[in-house]
Amino acid sequence: MASTGDVTHQAISSYFIGPRAENLDEFRKNITTLLDELQITRERYFSEDVDNGYSFIPQAVQESAEFKRVTAKSFSVFVMSKAVQQTASMLGRHSIPFWSPRYQAHMCPDLSMPAMLGYMMTMMYNPNNVALEASPLSTVAEIEVGDQLCDMFGFVTNPENKSEPTAWGHITSGGTVANLESIWVARNLKFYPLSVRKAMDDGDGPLQFVPASFSVRTSQGQLKPFRDLSTWELVNLKPKTILDIPEQLQKQFGITPTWLQGALDPYNIQTCGKNVLERHFGLQRPPQAFVANTRHYSWPKGAAIGGLGSEILVKVDVDDAARVDIDKLREPLTRCLNEERPVYAVVAVIGSTEKGAVDPLRKILALRQFFQAKGLSFWFTLMPLGVGRDGGGAGDGIVPDLSLRLDTQEYLFALRYCDSITVDPHKAGYIPYPAGALCYRDGRIKNLVTWTSPYLSRGSVVTSIGIYGVEGSKPGAAAVATWLSNRCIGLDQQGYGALLSEACIASSRFAALWASLSQPKDTFICVPFNMLPSGASGDPDKVEEEKQRIRTENLLETNANIVAHDTCRPTKDKTMTLLRALGSDLNINAFALNWRHADGTLNTDVEEANYLMNRVVSRLSVDSPDDNPTKIPLYLTSTEFSTADYGRCVTTFKRRLGLETDSAESLMVLRNVVMSPLASLSSHGNFINMLGETLREVIEQEVGVCRKRHEDTADYHSFLTHGTDQVFLSYRSMFHIAKHRHQIILAAEFDEAGAEVYRGIKGNTEEEIILKTTDKVDLQSLLDQVDSGEAPAGVVYHGITVRIKSILKNRPLKSANQDETYPSGFMPFYLYGTTKELHIDHILTRAPNITLSAGSVDLDFSAVCESLTDEILAPGIILTIGSLHEAAMQPFGEKNDELTSHNFFFKSGSKFEVRIWNDPRGPNESTLGLVKEVITTRQPIAMGTLTLKDDVVVDVEKLNRDPWKVSDETKVARWIERFDKIRKDVEGV
């Protein structure tokens, strides 16, 4: 007899086509049913038209020679069929297998069969697919979906319940549009009391007749005449108080909502604009809104579109778990209260895009109550990632019950107290894109964002939803697909709850995998973003012990054995208790990698750790036609944790990875998003553990590349040669190879035979002369000999010995030595040589960059603060071109010929106004912050005009080339070739 878990999984398994098309026959039957019904529908609509001779494609036409010719050879059948087959084949060969549990890359799950069928049938029966009066069925479906989602969140949808406002929700094209609408609502709600007050105060205002006795309660609970409210009190009324105003005016004075809407129209913010109301009421400080740094990009976009400006959206720091820091949120709200600056809204994130972090909802709600009691009120909105996040109900058996963390469950329960919620059924609802949604706790708010016959009343149902919100005419297929899937699967613990419960346990198992993937002997470390419970102790032995327990109990054991073993254990020792503590708040597991040098020490460079992760993700994704999806065993995706957005959170994460914490560089982070409920069946071949072993192999292979890229051993090196009497060597740097990651300028000399050869070449060419070592050279050892005063063995170049006399510059270019930004307002160079022959090299402050070198320049001093002597020039000094803004010129491009084929600024004959400065740092010191220090704290030693003469070198290719990377340009070109082949086949070319 099947257990509860077996029965639950059997039901869930019927929702999808299946990773290996196990349910395709059932899907095909439904498609056939759709086509049959489509035929019946078209044939029965005014069937008498045929009898009356109204045949639009009569049989005679179908039997005509021309019809058959075109049908046989042209677009109708042959070409279309071939194009469809080839396009489908290409998609099949090159699309990532999102339907497979191996696909752990992003929130693009397999689609539920009810959703796909709902989408297809709507498009078949209503090609225009518009959710307006032309398609009342899809409009009703959208209303139903709104009620379904509101019910799921705990909002009241029964208009007979007079104790709570009636909720309302609708479908949007996605979360971006829903977020934009919520900003629009928050703005209009904030200014609505001002519009009413202005209509009362104006001498001929339409509401000047309203008696002075009309009263409302302030956010602090004090009942006051509306006309006596200060501007501060007006912009801080509670949302319900504002939405009650039309109803109260009707109850007390018989003013109908329809008349009120027309009377307020000239005073409405949507008519007169925000600035008019702000000037009239003397609002000096524009209102602000607050959201965590992890917010979706749609929030600043929405603020900009809404005419508020993205600057009104204040970012709030997050804690080490990437949740909004309540103390950091309290600070700006306190400032707004003290400054009497209104607040539009506070936005909570229920499942951040990067790692699924859930903001502490109850704490934010408590914070709002606290500030409302102080007189500051605001709209409270949030954006969760998906729909149907019910954590329990899977039962025991093959898939154990694993609900969400207790605090996450608590925060989800508190959704019912939010003013608005953005939700995306096209994520955890398994619905085709585009299917976002927006739900309001109080449905009356929708009337503030409409242009057609709105009136502020309860429970209004209209035949068209398009009059509300941002979108007017819009697809109805998303509404029908969502409605059908919700009905077939169910927004309860037995439906989506059970489905997502299986995804939850799979997510926790993957979290356990990332936590235990690496061992001390490995060439790499894998660090999950969410720290292990033992991690708080700071004891590495306890951490390793917990990792070993995970390897033994969580990955190698079957689900059935885990449940059986847990039966005999106390709660604190249960494997399920440990699993519940692992992973993110929802279903996104973030983790990062770092690699070890051959001696076992960890890499400390953030850039090098990012490089490893970039290569791993590139191996586990499809970005070129040459990639075969069937050969990629696991799919992951990545994101970045920037210092600006994640602050101490990313600093802590870097520390746990053994990386430099003072680096401002963003940290790349890998993610797996668990949407497939099928991955929870680890008892079937230990599937998740197998994926872990696969990932280990990929990481270890890529660590080999990182080590090779980073090793500082002997290699071939090349130099630009400058000068005649005195020879200088300008090193040809490369950012992507550690042994070439230096900017070096050397004073050198040839042996007698070499000097004669060099002078002969120099006198007969205007091209640059490049010296390349004949043998592999340990460059750093050679330079160390020069620094120590030892006589170095010369560098051999085609039998010619070159001796290094001195080091002008030997500055490291690894990421820790690079500035955060390019110089702004000038372009810096090293100026070196002798008073007879001057040379310049562009100072490399960060990557990517450009090699700009001139072996011969003239300086004309119109204003000289100090004479330039050979002694001053000897160490190499700094020159800046003030008319060139390097920051504005970046990026320079990827190809040399793209630069030199245009009128590039750096060429023979170019003239620039320049300033010259002493270099305050030693030849081997880092350039980090050097240019800014010189420009801002020191006086130039000379000013004048510089003219470029000969030996001008411009290069972006060698400097920035990664020898282990295929260029994106090549990949795109290959994709275009594949599409072009189909075009040629279709056209018969």
Side-chain angles (χ1 to χ4, degrees), residues 518-540:
S518 59
Q519 302 183 41
K521 62 180 177 59
D522 287 335
T523 62
F524 68 93
I525 62 171
C526 178
V527 180
F529 178 79
N530 290 88
M531 193 181 299
L532 286 169
S534 59
S537 68
D539 186 340

Side-chain angles (χ1 to χ4, degrees), residues 614-636:
N614 261 307
R615 291 193 62 84
V616 169
V617 169
S618 180
R619 285 277 301 275
L620 301 178
S621 60
V622 174
D623 57 3
S624 165
D626 297 331
D627 294 331
N628 185 347
T630 64
K631 301 298 183 183
I632 299 174
L634 171 68
Y635 288 81
L636 296 173

Side-chain angles (χ1 to χ4, degrees), residues 843-874:
I843 300 176
L844 302 176
T845 58
R846 68 170 287 105
N849 219 308
I850 189 170
T851 295
L852 300 174
S853 182
S856 180
V857 301
D858 275 343
L859 274 174
D860 179 19
F861 294 106
S862 58
V864 180
C865 305
E866 182 177 330
S867 298
L868 290 181
T869 63
D870 288 350
E871 184 179 2
I872 292 175
L873 288 166

Side-chain angles (χ1 to χ4, degrees), residues 79-386:
V79 175
M80 180 186 290
S81 176
K82 188 174 182 179
V84 168
Q85 188 276 326
Q86 289 193 0
T87 304
S89 177
M90 184 176 68
L91 287 171
R93 290 195 307 271
H94 300 295
S95 294
I96 55 178
F98 65 88
W99 58 81
S100 171
R102 289 178 178 270
Y103 182 72
Q104 297 293 324
H106 200 40
M107 294 163 290
C108 184
D110 201 357
L111 302 174
S112 76
M113 288 196 290
M116 285 192 285
L117 292 168
Y119 214 93
M120 293 173 67
M121 71 174 70
T122 309
M123 296 181 71
M124 288 178 180
Y125 287 93
N126 180 17
N128 286 332
N129 213 15
V130 185
L132 291 171
E133 290 82 351
S135 180
L137 187 145
S138 59
T139 298
V140 172
E142 183 169 356
I143 293 172
E144 284 280 303
V145 167
D147 285 348
Q148 289 171 338
L149 296 177
C150 288
D151 283 336
M152 184 184 72
F153 292 133
F155 292 166
V156 173
T157 57
N158 182 5
E160 301 302 318
N161 184 347
K162 302 300 183 181
S163 62
E164 293 287 339
T166 303
W168 185 82
H170 71 119
I171 292 290
T172 67
S173 62
T176 294
V177 171
N179 290 339
L180 168 60
E181 184 176 319
S182 67
I183 293 174
W184 187 15
V185 159
R187 184 201 71 172
N188 289 3
L189 185 74
K190 181 64 62 176
F191 283 88
Y192 185 77
L194 300 183
S195 299
V196 175
R197 177 66 170 272
K198 192 170 188 295
M200 289 181 179
D201 290 348
D202 279 2
D204 57 350
L207 296 181
Q208 48 84 23
F209 67 88
V210 174
S213 60
F214 175 59
S215 300
V216 298
R217 291 195 180 276
T218 67
S219 67
Q220 295 174 290
Q222 182 181 3
L223 186 65
K224 292 182 65 174
F226 190 82
R227 293 178 185 272
D228 292 344
L229 294 177
S230 66
T231 299
W232 177 248
E233 289 172 323
L234 285 169
V235 295
N236 282 289
L237 295 177
K238 294 180 179 180
K240 185 179 184 302
T241 302
I242 297 172
L243 296 174
D244 279 343
I245 289 175
E247 186 175 330
Q248 293 303 313
L249 288 173
Q250 183 178 30
K251 285 183 178 180
Q252 296 181 40
F253 312 112
I255 301 174
T256 66
T258 303
W259 182 89
L260 179 64
Q261 179 63 31
L264 286 178
D265 185 66
Y267 301 89
N268 194 305
I269 187 173
Q270 299 201 145
T271 302
C272 68
K274 177 173 69 75
N275 293 341
V276 170
L277 293 172
E278 285 179 336
R279 284 196 302 268
H280 180 81
F281 288 93
L283 284 173
Q284 300 297 319
R285 298 180 178 87
Q288 293 179 328
F290 299 92
V291 63
N293 281 344
T294 56
R295 86 284 183 271
H296 193 261
Y297 67 85
S298 60
W299 290 105
K301 181 190 291 186
I305 294 173
L308 306 177
S310 62
E311 284 189 351
I312 68 101
L313 199 68
V314 179
K315 296 189 294 184
V316 183
D317 291 342
V318 295
D319 60 19
D320 284 350
R323 305 182 189 105
V324 70
D325 189 318
I326 290 296
D327 290 334
K328 295 295 185 181
L329 176 59
R330 182 182 291 107
E331 291 174 6
L333 288 174
T334 300
R335 185 188 67 248
C336 287
L337 176 64
N338 294 336
E339 293 178 354
E340 291 199 347
R341 181 193 292 271
V343 174
Y344 285 119
V346 169
V347 182
V349 181
I350 304 299
S352 60
T353 304
E354 284 78 13
K355 67 158 301 293
V358 173
D359 284 343
L361 199 53
R362 279 198 177 275
K363 295 179 181 179
I364 299 175
L365 286 164
L367 202 61
R368 178 165 78 160
Q369 289 181 324
F370 171 82
F371 278 100
Q372 282 179 337
K374 298 281 188 180
L376 179 70
S377 182
F378 45 83
W379 184 256
F380 185 40
T381 186
L382 55 85
M383 181 186 175
L385 279 180

Side-chain angles (χ1 to χ4, degrees), residues 407-449:
D407 54 354
T408 303
Q409 294 182 54
E410 177 187 349
Y411 298 149
L412 293 181
F413 182 81
L415 290 174
R416 65 194 62 215
Y417 302 115
C418 299
D419 293 316
S420 69
I421 299 175
T422 295
V423 60
D424 283 345
H426 59 215
K427 292 190 174 74
Y430 304 88
I431 310 296
Y433 274 79
L438 182 63
C439 296
Y440 297 117
R441 183 168 177 263
D442 190 331
R444 296 175 294 175
I445 194 69
K446 70 181 182 297
N447 297 296
L448 294 182
V449 286

